[in-house]
Structure formats: structure tokens, C-alpha cells
Amino acid sequence: MQRAYRILIVDDEDFNQELIQALLEPKGYEVVTADNGKQALEILAQKNIDLILLDINMPVMNGFEMCLLVKQDPRTRHIPVIMITSLESRDSRLKGMETGAEEFLHKPVDQAELLLRVGNILRAAEYEDAFNYVIMALARAAEANDLDTGNHILRVGEFSALIAAELGQSDKFVEDIRLQATLHDVGKVHIPSHILKKPGLLSPGEMEEMKKHPGFGAAIIGDHPYLAMGRDIALYHHERYDGGGYPSGRKGTDIPLAARIVTLADCYDALRNSRVYKPCYDHGGAYRILTEGDDRTQPSNFDPAVLGVFKKKAGSFEELYTKMTDQAAARTTGSL
Ligand SMILES: [Fe+2]
């Protein structure tokens, strides 16, 4: 049986908490309450919450401060927030929007409206969650044949989001690339495993076969507008800024920005991992190759703005790589 949706009510007035609780529980929702933002964050660290109903004026930590922290934390930012504001306060609505709240309800709360909004927002969040899950499942399926990847797709997503944010892209772009960059190698499902797993260099014929994976990836993703970025990434992530890449030899800004970002994220992560055909490098080694070049890679392969972000944020790349490989190792150990 599907579990009940769990809603966190954050309000310092017991009366308000009880009123909303009495409205939601008979409709099958599970309710958890907190008296202020700080207490609510403690609950969020321990329990899965599907929706937050958030008052603004509270002692210890108010609703704006809390909402900002929820939306900054990758573990909680997906949880929708309905902020409860006073009708006359346009300023608090604007401030609420700035902190990332998805919806607003006016005080005194209209009970029918609250139930409708809660139902709608939970359904929308569930669809989005399922959509994201299926994308990740597709990306994982493409890794099945590839010996060496582990957490590679997730790290490429995180590195790409880091670069996009630093380039000043919108929050939507950053979130889209975090997810859709994971699809960059989805076309590898069509590449025979003896090529993917071959130790040593590929023969020219095998290389030609390998070079088909961007086109295969684009064909698998297709032309749905929600995945337009993922399709661009799959198709162009082996293009090079100087025109020396494949499959089309596009150059410079003719390569979509999302793909230019993923090219560097993918290269950095590939250098850090040992693969059947090459040893791995530590952060310093990978940094040197990307910024100074070697026999396979040149700095001119990358968008100078993207490479500039990498140089500036190199420490964050190293930190993220270490954190995510440690997490993956802990998960593997835990599952044995
Ligand atoms: Fe690739």
C-alpha cells in the first residue's frame, strides 16, 4: 500500500497547528508539527517530508530564514513549501518567493483552498519526482555495460551544476543540467561491450563504432521538450571548442552551452577514475592535464569560460569528488 503523504506544519501558535491538523488528518495525510524553523529543520533531517506548510513570524527562526535553508540544501530543496502570509502583505509574498516558496496562502486560511492547494502541489511534486527517477534509471541502464563508472553519472551531474551556477545560469538551468547531464552516455547501450571493456587503445574501426554513441544517445532521448537539454548533451558532449571533436566537428558557441559544460565535467571525472584503458590521476594530475594539456587533451578543447570556472573552483571539484566517492564506497560496503 502506498504510504500517506507526510506534511510538516511549522507554526508557533498551537491553535493554528491544531486547526490545520484537524483539517488534513481526516483526509488521510500524516501530520508532523514544529513550533519554529529550527525545530522544523531538525525534523527534516530525520524524517521524509512531502510538503511544508510554513508560517512566517515565529521565534528562534522565522519562515523566510527556514525556507531559504530548505531550498539551499540538496537533500530538502525538492520539498514544496506553502507559505502562509497575511493578505495585506505584498512584501512578505515577494520575500517568500525570493526564498523559494512554491505557493502562498493568506491568513485567515480558507480551508477548502488549503486542501485543494495541498492536493495539487503534492500531485505535481510526485510527477516530477517520478520523472527524475525514470531519467536516472535510464542513465543507470546505460552504465550496465561499462565496467568503470560507479558513481560517474552522478558526479558529472554535480560538476556540471557547479559550473553552470558559477557561470550565472538560472536556477532552472542548474537543476536541469544536474539531472540531464546524467544522460550524456546513454547511447552506449548500443555499443558492444567488448569495445567498452577493451583494455588498451581501440582500433580505428572500434573507435568509429564508439563515436556513434552521441548519435545513439540523442535518438534514445528523442525530441520531448523536457529533455531538450539532455539530448543536446548526449549529442554534443564529445565536440571540442576548437572544432576537433565528434560526431559533427562543431566549434565554439555552435556547441550548446550545456554540452560545453558537460564536456569538461566528464573529462575531469574520467581523468580521476582508472578505466580499463588508462590509470587514474589525482586532483593535481587531472588539473594539470585540463589546464596544460597532454597527448589526448588540450585546453583549447574547452570553452574558455568553462575552463576559467574550473580553474577558479578547482578546490570545489576536488572536494565534491572526494565526498561523492566516499559516499558511494560507504553505500557499497553497507550493501555487502
Ligand atoms: Fe561519452
Side-chain angles (χ1 to χ4, degrees):
M1 197 184 85
Q2 208 178 6
R3 72 170 176 85
Y5 285 118
R6 189 181 285 151
I7 299 178
L8 175 61
I9 302 171
V10 193
D11 198 311
D12 58 323
E13 303 270 349
D14 287 350
F15 175 76
N16 289 340
Q17 285 184 5
E18 284 160 17
L19 195 77
I20 298 177
Q21 190 163 10
L23 190 65
L24 293 173
E25 281 183 345
K27 301 289 179 192
Y29 297 111
E30 187 184 328
V31 170
V32 184
T33 57
D35 297 332
N36 59 63
K38 189 164 176 285
Q39 205 181 82
L41 291 176
E42 286 162 13
I43 292 171
L44 284 167
Q46 291 160 8
K47 288 181 190 265
N48 288 323
I49 297 291
D50 299 300
L51 173 73
I52 301 168
L53 281 169
L54 184 58
D55 187 30
I56 294 175
N57 294 318
M58 293 175 290
V60 189
M61 181 188 286
N62 71 34
F64 296 130
E65 293 168 309
M66 177 192 154
C67 191
L68 203 58
L69 291 173
V70 166
K71 295 299 175 185
Q72 281 171 349
D73 187 337
R75 288 165 304 178
T76 53
R77 66 159 71 102
H78 62 280
I79 304 172
V81 174
I82 300 181
M83 212 171 245
I84 301 179
T85 64
S86 303
L87 184 57
E88 65 278 8
S89 179
R90 176 175 171 271
D91 282 354
S92 50
R93 274 172 57 92
L94 290 178
K95 202 166 169 196
M97 278 185 213
E98 274 172 22
T99 62
E102 276 80 4
E103 282 276 5
F104 297 88
L105 279 170
H106 302 306
K107 275 182 180 173
V109 171
D110 178 318
Q111 301 195 351
E113 188 182 359
L114 180 124
L115 283 175
L116 282 172
R117 295 244 170 151
V118 164
N120 287 345
I121 206 165
L122 282 170
R123 244 189 322 280
E126 192 162 63
Y127 285 138
E128 192 179 325
D129 201 44
F131 171 77
N132 294 355
Y133 182 87
V134 171
I135 288 182
M136 294 301 302
L138 184 59
R140 280 198 301 272
E143 282 196 311
N145 244 347
D146 220 343
L147 273 181
D148 47 24
T149 47
N151 233 10
H152 169 71
I153 54 170
L154 291 178
R155 288 193 304 264
V156 170
E158 291 302 323
F159 293 142
S160 300
L162 193 163
I163 298 168
E166 197 61 28
L167 285 172
Q169 294 300 305
S170 67
D171 289 354
K172 178 169 178 359
F173 187 101
V174 173
E175 288 319 306
D176 284 352
I177 202 168
R178 191 192 307 281
L179 179 67
Q180 299 196 24
T182 62
L183 292 172
H184 64 280
D185 272 342
V186 73
K188 282 190 177 172
V189 291
H190 285 292
I191 307 298
S193 67
H194 72 267
I195 295 181
L196 294 173
K197 293 177 181 170
K198 183 179 174 179
L201 290 177
L202 299 182
S203 71
E206 289 165 341
M207 196 59 215
E208 280 317 300
E209 200 56 35
M210 190 65 155
K211 285 183 176 178
K212 293 179 184 167
H213 82 269
F216 286 142
I220 290 170
I221 294 169
D223 57 5
H224 196 286
Y226 276 121
L227 290 174
M229 181 192 272
R231 185 178 185 280
D232 276 350
I233 290 170
L235 189 54
Y236 299 117
H237 73 284
H238 286 286
E239 299 295 353
R240 292 177 169 180
Y241 201 75
D242 53 19
Y246 64 87
S248 65
R250 278 196 188 208
K251 260 189 189 175
T253 51
D254 282 347
I255 306 164
L257 175 62
R260 283 181 266 146
I261 292 173
V262 172
T263 303
L264 189 136
D266 188 25
C267 273
Y268 174 78
D269 199 71
L271 288 168
R272 295 300 311 271
N273 289 289
S274 57
R275 298 201 166 181
V276 281
Y277 49 86
K278 65 163 197 62
C280 64
Y281 295 90
D282 63 6
H283 174 74
Y287 183 91
R288 216 169 30 252
I289 290 171
L290 293 180
T291 57
E292 294 170 22
D294 69 356
D295 54 340
R296 299 161 54 101
T297 305
Q298 289 302 316
S300 60
N301 300 161
F302 305 107
D303 179 339
V306 173
L307 191 58
V309 167
F310 173 70
K311 287 181 186 170
K312 186 173 153 209
K313 304 294 280 185
S316 307
F317 274 72
E318 184 176 18
E319 254 170 52
L320 206 50
Y321 182 86
T322 308
K323 192 175 108 191
M324 293 187 75
T325 42
D326 286 353
Q327 279 170 356
R331 264 201 304 278
T332 312
T333 317
S335 66
L336 286 176

